[in-house]
Every structure is written in structure tokens, then in C-alpha cells.
Amino acid sequence: MRELILLLANSVNEVHDILNQIFGMSMSDKALHFWVFGIMGIILFIVVYIVFKIIEKLKFSATILSFIFTFTLMTVLVFAIEIQQAITNRGNMEFADAVMGLWGFIVFFALYTIIVGIIYSIYSRTKKKKKVAALDKKDGNLKATTQEPEEKATVYRSQVKKTTKFKK
């Protein structure tokens, strides 16, 4: 884990030097953060916005969005705890610990989805059976009282009453 943080710190320093060479000026740390995080943030926002708009159209969109949000928070929490362990020397800061913590969440979420999926499946099947039984009962009573099938009256557009909300 320490190696990962050192690698990230070195790569950030390299990016800082490369940007200073490309633009031919010496940017302060604040100016560099302003430009890099501003550009990265707006690109990330656009990507997340598009992905969430696609997810919004799916059947279980609230569950999917809740998982993404929770996974993001869990990732931040796991790495915050690992960094805290390194600072306080109360444990070993290892990337494997962070990965195992996130795997724990994924496994428990998978169990949750399986249990909820089974309950939802049972509920929807019993609901369909009740609806089919009610329709059969209703159709049986109709067939007993009327011998000829009932025809629906055709309604043409010209027959529909036109209403306008705003009259002059």
C-alpha cells in the first residue's frame, strides 16, 4: 500500500513537471490543482451523467445507483482506514487489505441481491397467478351470460371531442 501511494505521488510529480515543460511556465501547486482537477472533474461528470442517464432507464435503476454510490463510499472509507493505519502505526498498510474489504461488501451485496431476487420472483409469480385466476373467473362468468362475443365500438378521430385549455 505504501508503494502504491509513493508510486502515485511520483507520477503526480512527473505530470507536474511535464505540464510545466509543455506550457513553458512554472505553475504553482494551486494553479496545477485548479487546471488538472477542474478538467478531470468535468470529464468525469460528463461520463457519470451519461452512464446514470442510461441506468435511469433500466428496471432496477434505484438499486444500481445505490450500489454505485455505496461502493464509491466504501472505497473511500477502506483507503482512509488503510492510510490511518499507516499514520498511527496501528496496523500494516496493505493494498490487499483494502481489496479484501471491498470484496466483503461485494459478497454481502451479492447475497442481498440473491435473497431479494428470490423474494421478488415468488411475489411476482403469486401476483400473476392471482391475476390469471381473477381473469379466468371473470371470463367464465361472461361466457355463461352472453353467447356472442362483444364487439368494441370503433372511435374515429373526428368523433373525439376536442378540448383546448386556452380559448381566445
Side-chain angles (χ1 to χ4, degrees), residues 1-10 82-95:
M1 187 70 168
R2 286 177 198 221
E3 293 81 24
L4 177 66
I5 291 176
L6 290 174
L7 179 69
L8 288 173
N10 287 334
E82 287 299 317
I83 292 170
Q84 178 268 341
Q85 283 182 344
I87 292 170
T88 61
N89 290 326
R90 304 250 350 215
N92 292 331
M93 185 173 154
E94 296 177 5
F95 185 72

Side-chain angles (χ1 to χ4, degrees), residues 55-125:
I55 290 172
E56 182 180 28
K57 296 179 190 324
L58 300 176
K59 185 173 184 176
F60 298 106
S61 61
T63 304
I64 296 168
L65 294 175
S66 297
F67 172 78
I68 292 170
F69 183 75
T70 306
F71 186 79
T72 303
L73 287 178
M74 290 300 297
T75 303
V76 170
L77 182 64
V78 162
F79 282 105
I81 289 172
E82 287 299 317
I83 292 170
Q84 178 268 341
Q85 283 182 344
I87 292 170
T88 61
N89 290 326
R90 304 250 350 215
N92 292 331
M93 185 173 154
E94 296 177 5
F95 185 72
D97 291 346
V99 170
M100 287 309 292
L102 292 175
W103 266 112
F105 170 67
I106 290 172
V107 167
F108 278 93
F109 185 79
L111 290 173
Y112 166 81
T113 55
I114 290 169
I115 291 168
V116 169
I118 291 169
I119 292 169
Y120 179 77
S121 175
I122 292 169
Y123 172 76
S124 62
R125 286 183 186 184

